[in-house]
Amino acid sequence: MPQHADLGLIGLAVMGRNLALNIADHGYTVAVYNRSVERTDEFLAGEGADAPIVGVPTLEELVQALVQPRVVVLMIKAGEPVDAQIDALVPLLESDDIIIDGGNSQFADTERRTAELAEVGIHFIGMGVSGGEEGARYGPSLMPGGSTEAWPHVKDIFTSIAAIAEGEACCEWVGAGGAGHYAKMVHNGIEYGDMQVIAEAYDIMSRGLGLDPPALQPIFARWNTGRLDSFLIEITADIMATLDTDGAPLLDKVLDAAGPKGTGKWTVVASMDQAAPTTLVAEAVYARIVSSLVNQRTTASGILTGPHGAIDDDIGAVVADLEDALYASKIVSYAQGFMLFEAASEEFGWDLDTGTIASLWRAGCIIRSRFLADITAAYRSNPGLSNL
Ligand code: NAP
């Protein structure tokens, strides 16, 4: 097979498929491979049919299809599969080729893989990718880190596919080793915190003030026009307005149990390691754990009825206080997250630029918000800012 593809991509589940389509939309030819060949065939027969995307059934053919230095992006399940995939790829690659791991890998694994691959002449980039399916397809927030030498070779590709905020691509080099995946980890921890404080505000208005979802919709919608303007507040308003087929609010029928995905817990563990308190993220992780104890909570709710409708203050005043409280909570949470970056930067020698990290989250990702533009501006106007 002639060497003509600009980039190889391994892993055609939801993230890999959408990233391949996004890259192809920007004028690059992508060679794709998936462990189960049926997934490749299905993708190329469907969404990928009209794009400059070539499917290959083996790793050997993937490597042969790529221009040099070869760039291979892994979008596969994090953990052991990434090591196994790297082990299978390395004998087929040559010096100066580049492997990019776009999954949710632990930063310590990325740190190790960057060092191990450098010994055999392969560049490794651990790139945090945020924004889920839609972000991957139309513009994610990208947090690359690892082999600094490799970045100039791939910068144009990833800058072109990223989300745009205030005219700038939400893709910039974060730092050496595991810095990119560290940024993604803290991003996910902060995301847990944002969701938790929104849930607590909802709970106070729902159980405390006795407001049902349709009554809460305009409150969240109004909050979304002010300083809380963000993707998560926007979709909360939409959720409040969503009715089931019987006309009842859908939210009231959703089991209030959330499972952890790992990165929130990693953030808390990392913050303990750095003695940099991320108390709000920790509370959010604990709240998820408590939420999953469904049987115990169900039993307890039969004994303790709770303070339903117990707040008899002026509703408008309570809602205004909650808006302020939510904003204050976000300030605490983001200040804590950025304190963690400062501590980790020193510990690992990453020389992290906190203003750049804030700028990457302004668009494309789940925590995108007006507030992040303010944080970016704060760091840019005062680069020596020791604490938000
Ligand atoms: P996923 O469900 O995490 O992983 C499925 C993909 O991994 C499939 O292509 C699967 O191949 C492949 N895979 C699993 N074990 C493998 C192994 N041992 N060797 C080779 N390939 C293996 O897929 P995803 O949701 O698209 O996520 C991909 C990565 O992005 C993950 O690290 C995820 O944490 C991260 N991420 C996901 C999101 C999201 O919203 N989903 C957002 C940001 C980041 P088969 O088809 O052969 O099983």
Side-chain angles (χ1 to χ4, degrees):
M1 182 179 288
Q3 295 182 318
H4 68 286
D6 300 297
L7 175 140
L9 189 142
I10 299 180
L12 293 174
V14 63
M15 293 300 285
R17 280 200 316 274
N18 284 291
L19 215 54
L21 290 168
N22 187 355
I23 295 168
D25 275 353
H26 286 84
Y28 298 99
T29 303
V30 188
V32 294
Y33 165 87
N34 193 76
R35 179 181 59 173
S36 328
V37 180
E38 313 82 68
R39 228 197 252 270
T40 311
D41 295 342
E42 186 199 323
F43 175 57
L44 291 173
E47 297 159 291
D50 299 322
I53 297 178
V54 261
V56 286
T58 66
L59 285 179
E60 286 76 8
E61 284 165 274
L62 179 79
V63 168
Q64 284 161 20
L66 302 175
V67 295
Q68 289 174 287
R70 300 176 187 87
V71 179
V72 182
V73 179
L74 310 183
M75 285 309 293
I76 63 173
K77 203 167 153 45
E80 168 57 27
V82 175
D83 283 315
Q85 194 64 77
I86 290 172
D87 288 347
L89 258 179
V90 166
L92 307 174
L93 296 177
E94 288 176 81
S95 203
D96 285 334
D97 286 347
I98 300 165
I99 299 177
I100 302 176
D101 172 18
N104 272 341
S105 293
Q106 288 230 28
F107 81 91
D109 284 339
T110 304
E111 193 88 349
R112 168 180 59 79
R113 289 167 185 148
T114 307
E116 285 174 358
L117 287 168
E119 280 176 24
V120 294
I122 307 283
H123 301 298
F124 187 69
I125 292 178
M127 181 164 68
V129 178
S130 178
E133 178 176 354
E134 200 181 317
R137 179 68 186 89
Y138 298 109
S141 161
L142 298 175
M143 295 152 257
S147 165
T148 308
E149 289 162 82
W151 182 233
H153 293 286
V154 294
K155 184 177 178 184
D156 286 351
I157 298 179
F158 292 103
T159 304
S160 73
I161 67 157
I164 304 286
E166 299 174 287
E168 298 170 11
C170 292
C171 172
E172 190 45 86
W173 190 247
V174 177
H181 275 136
Y182 201 93
K184 176 70 199 303
M185 173 189 77
V186 175
H187 163 285
N188 283 21
I190 285 176
E191 178 187 328
Y192 275 30
D194 276 0
M195 290 193 280
Q196 180 60 23
V197 292
I198 292 170
E200 290 182 13
Y202 156 78
D203 190 44
I204 291 170
M205 291 189 285
S206 169
R207 290 194 302 142
L209 294 174
L211 299 176
D212 62 9
L216 291 172
Q217 189 279 335
I219 295 174
F220 282 105
R222 185 164 44 74
W223 286 359
N224 198 44
T225 62
R227 57 191 179 173
L228 292 177
D229 175 358
S230 59
F231 171 69
L232 285 170
I233 293 285
E234 179 191 329
I235 61 169
T236 304
D238 293 346
I239 289 165
M240 296 301 150
T242 304
L243 305 178
D244 201 357
T245 45
D246 62 1
L250 185 64
L251 180 61
D252 292 342
K253 299 185 180 184
V254 177
L255 183 67
D256 55 352
K261 270 180 141 182
T263 32
K265 185 183 93 173
W266 298 347
T267 306
V268 179
V269 172
S271 79
M272 295 274 180
D273 288 341
Q274 299 308 323
T278 54
T279 54
L280 199 143
V281 179
E283 286 300 334
V285 175
Y286 284 133
R288 279 178 177 241
I289 296 169
V290 171
S291 81
S292 68
L293 304 174
V294 176
N295 289 340
Q296 293 187 45
R297 290 196 298 110
T298 304
T299 305
S301 68
I303 302 165
L304 301 166
T305 52
H308 198 89
I311 302 175
D312 59 4
D313 291 346
D314 173 61
I315 288 182
V318 175
V319 169
D321 283 349
L322 281 173
E323 185 179 2
D324 288 345
L326 247 179
Y327 189 65
S329 303
K330 277 178 77 93
I331 292 173
V332 169
S333 185
Y334 284 70
Q336 291 183 338
F338 282 90
M339 278 172 76
L340 178 55
F341 281 135
E342 300 282 2
S345 182
E346 186 141 344
E347 167 87 16
F348 300 108
W350 287 333
D351 196 20
L352 297 180
D353 183 324
T354 36
T356 296
I357 295 173
S359 75
L360 300 182
W361 298 345
R362 286 174 298 173
C365 65
I366 312 291
I367 61 172
R368 61 184 182 260
S369 62
R370 182 188 295 193
F371 179 59
L372 273 160
D374 295 343
I375 294 178
T376 304
Y379 278 121
R380 284 186 177 167
S381 64
N382 184 358
L385 192 64
S386 65
N387 194 300
L388 277 174

